Amino acid sequence: DGGITQSPKYLFRKEGQNVTLSCEQNLNHDAMYWYRQDPGQGLRLIYYSQIVNDFQKGDIAEGYSVSREKKESFPLTVTSAQKNPTAFYLCASSTTPGLAVAYEQYFGPGTRLTVT
Amino acid sequence: AQSVTQLGSHVSVSEGALVLLRCNYSSSVPPYLFWYVQYPNQGLQLLLKYTSAATLVKGINGFEAEFKKSETSFHLTKPSAHMSDAAEYFCAVTGGGSARQLTFGSGTQLTVLP
C-alpha cells in the first residue's frame, strides 16, 4: 500500500540534544512538508521541499533543519536551538505541480516528541 | 496571502443531530479549499476538497461542504452525527502558485453526545 511513514511514533529526548525525525513516502510525490502541531494552534509549516536537493523555510523554521537527498525521504532534525521542541510533528506530501490535485496533501501518522 | 478562520474551537452535538463546522477564508486569488479530520494521535485525513468545480462538494463519511464566494465561507456539514465523528476538524486554503502550501485553521474539536 502506498503511503507515508513516520518513525518513531513517540520520541523522548533530553534538553540540549539534537534529534532526527524520519519521514518516508512511496507515493512518488515530488513535494514534501513538515508541520508542527500544538494544542489550539492548528498546523504550522516548518519546511517544505518541492524537489530533491532543494527545500524552503516555512513559517517556523528556526531551530530546525532538513535534507532532501532522495525523493522518498525528508528527515527533520530538531536542534538544541529550538526553544520549545515538545510537540506533535506531521509530515505530508503532494503530487505533480500544475494540477489542482497537486494541492491535496497526504499526511503521515505523526511523531510525538517530548523533550525534558 | 491567504488565511482561514474556524469559528468555534469546540462544538458539541447530540448523536443524530446536524453537524455544522464553520470555516471562513481569505485569499487574494481563487482558492482551493480543504477539510481534514484528525483522530487522537493520528495524522490528518482528507474529508473533501473544493477546486473550482461544483460549489457543493461531497466527501467521505457523509460530510459535505458548500463554497460560497460571496460569504467567503466553506462550512462543513453532516445531516446526522455519529459517535465515530468525534474528532478534530481542520479547514485549509491554498491560493495556488507553485509552492502548493496550505494554510490551516486552528481546528474545531467535535464532541458527539449520546
Side-chain angles (χ1 to χ4, degrees):
Chain A
D1 286 337
I4 301 176
T5 57
Q6 292 186 244
S7 60
K9 179 69 174 175
Y10 298 94
L11 190 54
F12 298 89
R13 281 294 183 270
K14 296 290 188 183
E15 191 173 329
Q17 294 179 335
N18 291 355
V19 58
T20 298
L21 282 59
S22 169
C23 177
E24 303 277 335
Q25 56 99 358
N26 61 4
L27 299 168
N28 200 33
H29 286 172
D30 58 323
M32 297 187 73
Y33 311 81
W34 274 106
Y35 293 92
R36 171 181 172 138
Q37 186 177 23
D38 297 282
Q41 296 193 42
L43 277 71
R44 293 182 290 169
L45 183 65
I46 304 172
Y47 268 98
Y48 64 99
S49 168
Q50 297 187 73
I51 195 170
V52 174
N53 293 322
D54 186 55
F55 48 82
Q56 307 295 327
K57 292 182 178 180
D59 300 321
I60 56 165
E62 184 175 352
Y64 300 97
S65 66
V66 294
S67 63
R68 186 86 186 276
E69 297 177 0
K70 298 186 302 181
K71 186 175 184 177
E72 302 80 17
S73 179
F74 191 41
L76 173 74
T77 297
V78 184
T79 75
S80 57
Q82 169 51 233
K83 300 302 181 187
N84 298 295
T86 295
F88 190 50
Y89 291 88
L90 288 160
C91 180
S93 69
S94 64
T95 188
T96 312
L99 302 171
V101 69
Y103 300 97
E104 177 181 329
Q105 293 183 14
Y106 295 78
F107 284 81
T111 292
R112 186 165 297 280
L113 173 64
T114 302
V115 177
T116 58
Chain B
Q2 55 269 1
S3 64
V4 171
T5 301
Q6 290 185 240
L7 297 175
S9 58
H10 292 83
V11 170
S12 294
V13 300
S14 298
E15 191 174 18
L18 172 72
V19 175
L20 171 61
L21 304 181
R22 300 179 186 274
C23 173
N24 288 88
Y25 70 91
S26 172
S27 178
S28 56
V29 298
Y32 295 152
L33 292 153
F34 305 82
W35 274 100
Y36 285 85
V37 61
Q38 184 182 35
Y39 298 98
N41 291 313
Q42 295 186 25
L44 276 66
Q45 179 184 7
L46 182 68
L47 276 178
L48 49 80
K49 60 187 177 186
Y50 167 77
T51 56
S52 74
T55 56
L56 182 61
V57 181
K58 295 187 183 298
I60 62 172
N61 302 337
F63 284 93
E64 63 182 37
E66 186 173 8
F67 173 71
K68 292 187 177 181
K69 183 178 179 180
S70 61
E71 300 177 7
T72 60
S73 69
F74 191 57
H75 301 331
L76 181 70
T77 61
K78 182 174 181 178
S80 177
H82 192 273
M83 297 297 289
S84 61
D85 295 326
E88 189 154 25
Y89 293 80
F90 292 93
C91 182
V93 63
T94 180
S98 61
R100 286 170 282 163
Q101 293 181 50
L102 291 180
T103 299
F104 287 84
S106 56
T108 298
Q109 181 68 47
L110 176 66
T111 300
V112 181
L113 304 170

